[in-house]
Amino acid sequence: MLGSAPGLSGRWERLEPRPRARMLRQVLHAGLRTSFHALGRFVASHPVFFASAPVLLSILLGASFSRYRVEEDVESLLAPKHSLAKIEGNLVDSLFPVNRSKHALYSDLQTPGRYGRVIVTTRKGSVLDPVHLDTILKLHRRIYQMQVTVPATGFNSFNYSFSYLCLPDDKNVCIIDDIIRAMEEIQSARTSNRSVPVLRYPITQLADGRQAYIGHQLGGVQGWGPSGAVRGPGTGARGEGVRSARALQLTYYLQARGSLMDRVASQWEKAFCTELQHFAALHPKLGLYPSTSSSLRTDFQFSSVLARRPLLASLGVCGVLAILCCSMRDCVRSKPWLGLLALLSITLSGLTAAGILNLTGATYNSTYLGIPFVMLGHGLFGSFEMLSSWRRTREDQHVKERVASVFEDVMLRFSGSTMLHLMTLGLAASPLTNMEAVRLFCRTAALAVTISYVYMLSFYSSCLVFTGYLETGYRHGCFCRRVPKPDRLDSKPAWYRCLMYTRYQDETQTTNPPHGVGHPHPPNPNLTHTHTHPHPHPHPHTANNPNSHGHGHVTNSTHTHPHPHTHSTASTDLHPQDSHLLLGCVRRCYGDWITNTYVKPFVVLLYLVYISFGLMGFLQVTQGSDPSALVAMDTTTVLYTRAQQRYFSSYSPVIGFYIYESAPYWNATVQRDLLEYAKGFQRISWLEAYLNYLSDRNQSTSQPRENFTRTLRHSFLREPQFAHFADDIIFAERGQGEEPDVAASRIFLVAKTTENKREEMSVLLDTLRRLSLTSRVRFLIFNPSFVYLDRYAAAVSSPLRHSLLAVLFLLGLSSLAVVEPLVSVWLGLTLLSVQFGVLGFMTLWGVELDCMSVLCLISALGHSADCSGPLLCGFASGRGESRTRWVRVALERHGVPSLQTLICYSAALVPVGSVRSNLTRTLFRCLTLTAGCSALHTLAFLPTLLTFLPPSKSRGHRPGGEGQRQEVECVEMNDSTRVVDQITTV
C-alpha cells in the first residue's frame, strides 16, 4: 500500500518549496525507510537466529494439537448472534417447554436436544399402499424396540431402548407422530375387513375425534377433488381426502437429562442411522433419508476431512510453481529454493497460529479452510516482491547491504498491505459483527497474517541472506555447488554447460554497466562525480528507486546527462537470456502491447463489459440462509434436505402464534381480531375450536370472564377430542374462589408456500412482526428456522460494509501523512471495483451471499490491495517522463511479482475445486473470481487507465528560464581509506 517517495534515499534533496503535507510525507518516508534499512542490516547480521527461532517456536506450539477441539454448536456459528428470534425462542421455551407437551409434537416446530428423523419415499406407488404401509409400520416397530448399550463393555453396561429415552405423554406412553396412529388405524381396518377411515390432508381427524395436522408428516400428496377428480400434489384444500402420497416423515424425540443421558441419546442416534441403512438394504423399493440432531454438525465439519488431501495437493502444486517462478537461466542468480522456503515460512506461521489457538482453548470449524489461502496470497506477494527487489540491487555490494536495500525498498509497501489486511479482518472480528462464524474466521485470519508477516521479516529474510552468500560465492542456486569459470566449462559437455551457465562479475563489468548507469566508463576509484541537470526533475539512478540518489548506489564514473534520462536499470540488459522468463515477456512484449494506442480502446471496452456483467449480478444477489448449503455434498443432511424440499414444500413449517400476556379472550372484538390474524392459514387453534364448541351448544361466544373460563376448563378441555389443547393454554391463579385467567396461549399456523419457501417465510415473518406492533393483543411468532432468517442479510453483509469503510478510512487518513492522495484514491477505487466485480460474478456463477462468501469478499480486499498497491505506488513515484514509460517500469518491477503471486495462488485453488462440498465449492468460486478480478485490474485495467488519467508525470515541470530551480546533490568520492561526501551546486 505504501510506496516510495521520490528523492529520499540520498542524504540531500532538492531545495525547493513544497506543501507541508508533502514535506510531512517525505519526512515519514525517510524515517520509515531508514528504520527498515537498519532492520534489514540487523537481520542480515544474525541470519542463523532469525532462521532457527521461527522453526523452534512452530515446533513447540505445534505440539499443542493434543488440545485440538471442534466446534459443536453449529447454530451459534451460522445464525445471527443477536437477533429477536433468539429472544423469542427463549421466551417460548420458558412458556411452553417441549417436555410440557403431553399429547402431540410438531417436528418442525419443536427441536429438542436430541432426535432422530427419517423421510421414507417409494420408488413406485404410494406410501399408503398396503405393502408399503406394512413395511413402514414394521420399520417403526424396529426403531421402537432398538436398544443401545452404554458403556459398550464392562459390568456396569445397561441397555437403553427408545421407550426409556422418549418424551412421555400424560399416560406415560411415548409421544409418536399422528401419522403413525392414522396408519395403524388404516392397517387395523384392513385386517378386520372394515371400511378404511378417510385420511384427510393437511388436517385429519383421528379415531378419538382429535384433529391433527399431518402436512409435515405426509408429502407428495395427491388429493380427491370435490367431484372425485384427482388433484395435483400439494393442491389439497382443508380436510380433503388423500388419494396417494409419495413420502412420509417420522420423528422420534429423545430426552437428554444430564451428561449420561446425553451420551446415551448420542449413541442411539448413531444406532438409528445404522438401523436405517440395514433396513434400506433389505427393502430397495423404499428410499430412506435419515437426519439427527448431530447430522448438521457432523456434515458441516466433514468438509475439513474431505479437504485434507486436496489442501496438500494445493501446497505441492503451489510449491512447484513457486520454484519455477523463482528460477532463471543463470544458475547462480536463480533462487529456486526461495520459492519453497516462502511456502515453508507460510506453513510455519500457520502452525504457530494453530498452536496459539489450541493453547487459548479456541475451537475449529470448516470455515477455517479459507485461512491458508489468505496467508498464501499475502505471503507469496511479500516473498516475490523481496526477490524482485533483490535482483535490482547491485551485485558488487555486500550481502548485508543488499538485504538492507531490499528491506528499505519493499518492507514499507509490505507493511502497508499487512496493515490493510489487519484493518479489514480486525474490524470484521470486532463485536460489531453479528455472525459468529465470520467473527471467529477474521480473528484467526488476523492472527495468522500477523505471524506470517513476522516470519517473512525473520525466517524468509534470513533465507534470502543465505542464498545471497551462495550467489556471492558463485554457487549453483539449486545444488549449492560452486560453478566453474567459463574457461573450464568449455571442455565440458553441452548439457553440463547449460546446467552450469552463469555470468561472472568480470564478465558482467565488461559487458554490462553497473545498475543505474546508462553509459559504460572505465572505473576510477578516486574520481569525483559531477552530474549536470538542466531540468528540475530527478531521474533513475538506483536499482530500487528510479527517483533517488542513493549514497550506496552511485557509480564511480564521471558522466553528464544533457537531456532527461529515458533509461533505467529495469530496461538496460545486454543479456536478455539471463533475465527471468516472465520479466522478459513483460519487458519486451506485454508492456509495449498493453500501452499501445490501438489496444487501449479495447481494454476500456473490456472494463465496461466487466462493469456491466458485475452490475447484472449485483442486482440479482440472494442471501443463503440455509445451513445445509455449507455442508459436504452427498451427506445425510443434503440428501434429507433435498427430499424435504421435493416432497414437503407445499406448506411452510408449523409457526407458533404465542400470546404471551393475559388477554380478554371473552371479548368479541379480541376474538374477531385473533380469528382475522389466523385467516388464510391452515391452523390448529384452541380458540377457534372452543368458539365452535360454544356455538354448537347454542351458547354465546361473548360471555363474562368467569363463565368463559369455567366452561373452558371444566367442559371443553375434558372432552377427549379437545383434551390435547391443554398443552396450549397456561392458566394463572387469581384470588381464592375465583376462576384463573388465561395467562398465555398458543395457536399453530401453517402457510401455503411455493418453491421459494425460505424467501416466503422471511416475508411472512416481517409481515406478522409488523402486525404485532399495532395489535391490541400482545403476541409473537416463532419457528426454529427463524433463528437463521431473522436479520440474516444484515448480519452477513455488515462485516463486509464495515471492512470496506475501514479500508477507505485508512486510505483517506494515510493520504494525509503517508501515501500520496492520488495513490489512495486509485487504490480505493480499485478495491471497490474488484469487490463489485467479485460480488456480481459470483452471483452469476450461482453463489449466494452466505457467511462463507462474505468471508471471501472480506479477504478479497487485502488480496486486491496486495496485487495493485505496489503498481500504483511505483507509477505515482515517478516524475519527469511520459506516463507510458512509467507504466512499463511499474509493470516490470511490480507487475511481475503480482503475476507470479496470482499464478501460484490460482494453481493452489484448483485441487480445492474438486472437493465434494458446498462450502469448498463456494470457497473455490469466490477465491477464483478474486484472483481473476485482481489480475484484470493489475495487468490490464490499471496500466491502461493510468496512461491517460491522473496522476500527471509533468507536475511541477517548467522548462528553462526563470522558473528553473537549483539542485543540490550528494556525490561520493572514494579514496584508499574512506568515502567522503562532496557537495556540488549546479
Side-chain angles (χ1 to χ4, degrees):
M1 181 182 72
L2 302 176
S4 57
L8 287 181
S9 63
R11 301 177 187 173
W12 302 89
E13 301 178 24
R14 293 183 302 163
L15 301 180
E16 61 177 68
R18 293 183 176 88
R20 292 182 179 180
R22 187 178 178 187
M23 293 177 63
L24 177 60
R25 285 197 296 270
Q26 289 182 346
V27 170
L28 289 177
H29 270 282
L32 292 174
R33 289 169 65 89
T34 302
S35 301
F36 281 118
H37 185 92
L39 178 61
R41 182 177 290 275
F42 181 74
V43 171
S45 301
H46 308 84
V48 177
F49 171 77
F50 286 102
S52 58
V55 176
L56 295 177
L57 184 61
S58 300
I59 294 174
L60 291 176
L61 292 176
S64 64
F65 267 89
S66 58
R67 301 188 180 187
Y68 175 86
R69 293 190 302 117
V70 177
E71 179 61 45
E72 300 287 342
D73 190 1
V74 178
E75 179 181 317
S76 65
L77 288 176
L78 305 180
K81 187 176 182 180
H82 304 288
S83 65
L84 184 58
K86 285 192 174 182
I87 300 175
E88 293 171 344
N90 294 332
L91 179 59
V92 167
D93 289 338
S94 64
L95 293 176
F96 299 96
V98 66
N99 293 334
R100 185 177 179 271
S101 299
K102 298 299 182 182
H103 294 85
L105 292 172
Y106 298 98
S107 60
D108 47 6
L109 179 61
Q110 287 95 357
T111 53
R114 296 287 184 177
Y115 62 87
R117 190 173 293 163
V118 59
I119 293 178
V120 184
T121 62
T122 59
R123 313 291 184 189
K124 186 178 181 181
S126 170
V127 293
L128 300 178
D129 292 342
V131 177
H132 297 319
L133 188 143
D134 294 342
T135 305
I136 293 173
L137 290 178
K138 178 183 177 181
L139 171 64
H140 169 68
R141 287 190 293 269
R142 290 184 60 171
I143 294 175
Y144 203 94
Q145 298 171 2
M146 184 179 63
Q147 294 183 346
V148 294
T149 304
V150 178
T153 58
F155 297 100
N156 297 326
S157 300
F158 292 93
N159 294 329
Y160 298 89
S161 63
F162 176 72
S163 59
Y164 184 82
L165 299 172
C166 68
L167 293 175
D169 59 10
D170 52 354
K171 299 178 182 178
N172 205 25
V173 178
C174 292
I175 298 177
I176 59 176
D177 288 334
D178 293 323
I179 191 64
I180 292 293
R181 302 184 187 278
M183 294 175 69
E184 289 176 344
E185 294 171 3
I186 294 174
Q187 186 186 49
S188 177
R190 287 172 178 168
T191 303
S192 59
N193 292 325
R194 291 185 287 107
S195 60
V196 177
V198 178
L199 185 65
R200 302 189 178 276
Y201 183 83
I203 297 178
T204 190
Q205 189 170 5
L206 302 178
D208 56 1
R210 180 168 61 90
Q211 287 189 337
Y213 173 74
I214 59 173
H216 62 295
Q217 298 172 359
L218 208 61
V221 174
Q222 286 185 336
W224 296 104
S227 60
V230 178
R231 298 174 65 94
T235 59
R238 180 183 176 94
E240 191 174 82
V242 176
R243 177 178 177 267
S244 65
R246 295 292 308 279
L248 183 75
Q249 181 172 237
L250 304 176
T251 304
Y252 300 89
Y253 295 97
L254 308 176
Q255 296 187 77
R257 302 181 299 269
S259 59
L260 175 61
M261 295 304 299
D262 184 74
R263 187 173 58 176
V264 173
S266 176
Q267 293 294 328
W268 189 92
E269 289 180 355
K270 296 178 181 178
F272 173 78
C273 295
T274 304
E275 181 66 27
L276 291 177
Q277 291 178 358
H278 295 164
F279 193 86
L282 296 175
H283 300 83
K285 294 183 179 180
L286 295 179
L288 302 180
Y289 304 96
S291 177
T292 63
S293 62
S294 58
S295 294
L296 179 61
R297 173 182 57 83
T298 303
D299 297 340
F300 176 72
Q301 303 295 353
F302 190 55
S303 298
S304 301
V305 179
L306 293 176
R308 288 176 183 173
R309 292 185 177 179
L311 282 178
L312 294 177
S314 298
L315 193 63
V317 172
C318 186
V320 172
L321 287 178
I323 291 175
L324 294 177
C325 288
C326 295
S327 301
M328 51 195 302
R329 184 184 176 188
D330 193 316
C331 65
V332 171
R333 294 162 181 85
S334 180
K335 301 288 187 293
W337 292 117
L338 279 182
L340 203 59
L341 291 171
L343 287 182
L344 180 59
S345 176
I346 297 171
T347 305
L348 291 176
S349 59
L351 188 61
T352 303
I356 294 175
L357 292 178
N358 292 330
L359 292 177
T360 56
T363 57
Y364 290 81
N365 61 80
S366 290
T367 60
Y368 287 3
L369 289 174
I371 295 179
F373 295 97
V374 176
M375 300 170 59
L376 187 66
H378 186 58
L380 288 177
F381 155 74
S383 62
F384 286 128
E385 276 283 331
M386 291 178 68
L387 182 57
S388 176
S389 179
W390 170 271
R391 286 172 175 163
R392 294 196 302 269
T393 57
R394 287 175 46 185
E395 296 181 357
D396 57 349
Q397 286 182 314
H398 193 272
V399 172
K400 295 181 181 179
E401 187 62 33
R402 296 182 71 180
V403 173
S405 300
V406 169
F407 269 64
E408 181 182 359
D409 178 52
V410 173
M411 284 306 164
L412 196 57
R413 293 189 299 269
F414 187 55
S415 301
S417 64
T418 303
M419 285 297 299
L420 197 144
H421 273 277
L422 295 181
M423 176 65 74
T424 57
L425 296 172
L427 193 59
S430 67
L432 296 175
T433 300
N434 197 22
M435 188 71 67
E436 189 69 8
V438 177
R439 193 181 67 83
L440 293 177
F441 175 92
C442 293
R443 184 188 68 181
T444 307
L447 174 65
V449 168
T450 303
I451 298 175
S452 177
Y453 172 76
V454 175
Y455 280 17
M456 195 62 61
L457 290 179
S458 56
F459 178 80
Y460 183 79
S461 300
S462 61
C463 295
L464 184 63
V465 174
F466 292 136
T467 56
Y469 282 117
L470 291 178
E471 179 179 338
T472 304
Y474 286 94
R475 294 187 176 273
H476 198 283
C478 183
F479 306 112
C480 304
R481 180 181 177 181
R482 185 172 180 83
V483 178
K485 289 192 175 184
D487 54 354
R488 296 181 58 188
L489 279 176
D490 294 338
S491 60
K492 301 293 183 179
W495 64 269
Y496 189 84
R497 292 197 303 270
C498 181
L499 187 64
M500 292 294 181
Y501 171 79
T502 188
R503 289 184 293 110
Y504 271 78
Q505 186 67 28
D506 51 359
E507 179 186 359
T508 304
Q509 290 179 351
T510 57
T511 57
N512 266 354
H515 290 275
V517 182
H519 310 282
H521 296 278
N524 189 346
N526 299 319
L527 191 61
T528 302
H529 306 254
T530 304
H531 298 256
T532 303
H533 300 277
H535 58 87
H537 305 291
H539 53 275
H541 276 270
T542 67
N544 286 336
N545 191 348
N547 306 292
S548 60
H549 305 276
H551 58 277
H553 303 270
V554 181
T555 57
N556 298 327
S557 60
T558 303
H559 51 280
T560 302
H561 304 283
H563 57 84
H565 291 271
T566 58
H567 65 273
S568 67
T569 302
S571 62
T572 303
D573 190 357
L574 301 182
H575 291 269
Q577 70 274 12
D578 298 337
S579 63
H580 192 274
L581 176 62
L582 292 178
L583 177 60
C585 292
V586 171
R587 177 184 300 172
R588 290 184 291 274
C589 301
Y590 185 77
D592 296 335
W593 178 80
I594 197 64
T595 55
N596 188 284
T597 305
Y598 300 101
V599 176
K600 294 177 185 178
F602 294 98
V603 177
V604 174
L605 180 62
L606 177 63
Y607 184 70
L608 295 178
V609 173
Y610 168 86
I611 292 295
S612 301
F613 278 92
L615 180 61
M616 183 189 307
F618 180 79
L619 297 176
Q620 302 176 25
V621 172
T622 57
Q623 65 180 27
S625 58
D626 189 2
S628 63
L630 295 174
V631 301
M633 299 179 184
D634 304 326
T635 54
T636 56
T637 300
V638 172
L639 297 177
Y640 173 83
T641 302
R642 289 176 182 172
Q644 193 176 51
Q645 292 175 349
R646 179 179 180 183
Y647 297 108
F648 296 93
S649 60
S650 299
Y651 291 95
S652 70
V654 177
I655 302 171
F657 186 95
Y658 298 91
I659 304 171
Y660 57 89
E661 290 183 358
S662 180
Y665 296 96
W666 58 88
N667 188 291
T669 304
V670 174
Q671 295 172 5
R672 185 169 57 253
D673 289 344
L674 292 177
L675 293 178
E676 184 67 23
Y677 297 157
K679 185 178 180 180
F681 291 93
Q682 298 288 345
R683 54 200 175 273
I684 300 293
S685 172
W686 69 268
L687 181 61
E688 184 178 356
Y690 181 48
L691 296 181
N692 293 334
Y693 173 80
L694 294 177
S695 299
D696 292 341
R697 299 183 59 179
N698 295 323
Q699 295 183 13
S700 173
T701 57
S702 180
Q703 300 179 3
R705 185 192 66 83
E706 296 279 344
N707 296 340
F708 186 88
T709 307
R710 183 182 302 109
T711 306
L712 174 64
R713 295 179 63 221
H714 300 290
S715 298
F716 177 74
L717 294 179
R718 294 187 177 181
E719 295 287 339
Q721 65 271 27
F722 303 126
H724 64 282
F725 286 125
D727 295 339
D728 304 333
I729 305 173
I730 298 177
F731 292 99
E733 295 294 337
R734 293 172 64 92
Q736 187 175 4
E738 297 185 20
E739 285 292 329
D741 280 337
V742 179
S745 66
R746 64 182 177 183
I747 298 171
F748 300 111
L749 306 177
V750 182
K752 185 73 176 175
T753 58
T754 59
E755 294 181 357
N756 299 323
K757 191 173 181 179
R758 300 189 71 85
E759 289 78 2
E760 293 178 357
M761 288 291 291
S762 180
V763 173
L764 180 62
L765 173 63
D766 295 336
T767 303
L768 291 178
R769 276 188 177 167
R770 287 195 299 268
L771 182 62
S772 66
L773 298 176
T774 58
S775 173
R776 70 187 70 188
V777 178
R778 298 296 180 184
F779 71 89
L780 60 88
I781 59 173
F782 180 73
N783 183 275
S785 62
F786 291 172
V787 173
Y788 296 96
L789 294 174
D790 190 16
R791 298 185 59 80
Y792 185 85
V796 166
S797 59
S798 61
L800 180 60
R801 291 198 306 269
H802 294 159
S803 298
L804 193 56
L805 291 176
V807 169
L808 297 179
F809 174 77
L810 177 64
L811 293 176
L813 184 63
S814 61
S815 65
L816 300 178
V818 182
V819 186
E820 291 195 10
L822 283 176
V823 174
S824 297
V825 171
W826 270 107
L827 187 56
L829 293 176
T830 302
L831 297 183
L832 289 175
S833 180
V834 171
Q835 286 288 93
F836 183 77
V838 174
L839 183 59
F841 283 104
M842 80 175 193
T843 304
L844 297 178
W845 204 352
V847 178
E848 295 180 330
L849 190 64
D850 53 22
C851 70
M852 198 64 214
S853 58
V854 166
L855 293 176
C856 296
L857 288 172
I858 292 174
S859 62
L861 289 170
H863 184 78
S864 55
D866 286 343
C867 294
S868 57
L871 180 75
L872 290 169
C873 294
F875 174 79
S877 64
R879 294 289 182 271
E881 297 186 7
S882 65
R883 298 171 182 270
T884 302
R885 177 61 194 154
W886 278 105
V887 166
R888 293 173 182 172
V889 172
L891 279 175
E892 292 173 12
R893 297 186 177 179
H894 307 294
V896 173
S898 298
L899 179 60
Q900 292 171 328
T901 301
L902 290 168
I903 290 175
C904 298
Y905 185 81
S906 302
L909 290 173
V910 174
V912 180
S914 63
V915 180
R916 296 282 299 171
S917 172
N918 294 318
L919 186 144
T920 54
R921 182 186 61 181
T922 300
L923 179 69
F924 168 74
R925 293 182 177 182
C926 292
L927 294 184
T928 301
L929 290 174
T930 299
C933 293
S934 300
L936 279 176
H937 283 76
T938 304
L939 302 176
F941 297 152
L942 285 177
T944 300
L945 297 177
L946 289 174
T947 57
F948 56 86
L949 292 177
S952 174
K953 298 291 101 179
S954 60
R955 185 171 58 188
H957 174 64
R958 289 178 292 182
E962 59 185 5
Q964 191 172 6
R965 296 193 179 100
Q966 291 183 343
E967 293 185 359
V968 178
E969 292 188 352
C970 170
V971 187
E972 294 181 356
M973 181 178 67
N974 296 337
D975 58 16
S976 59
T977 58
R978 56 193 175 93
V979 177
V980 296
D981 293 338
Q982 178 176 348
I983 301 177
T984 304
T985 302
V986 181

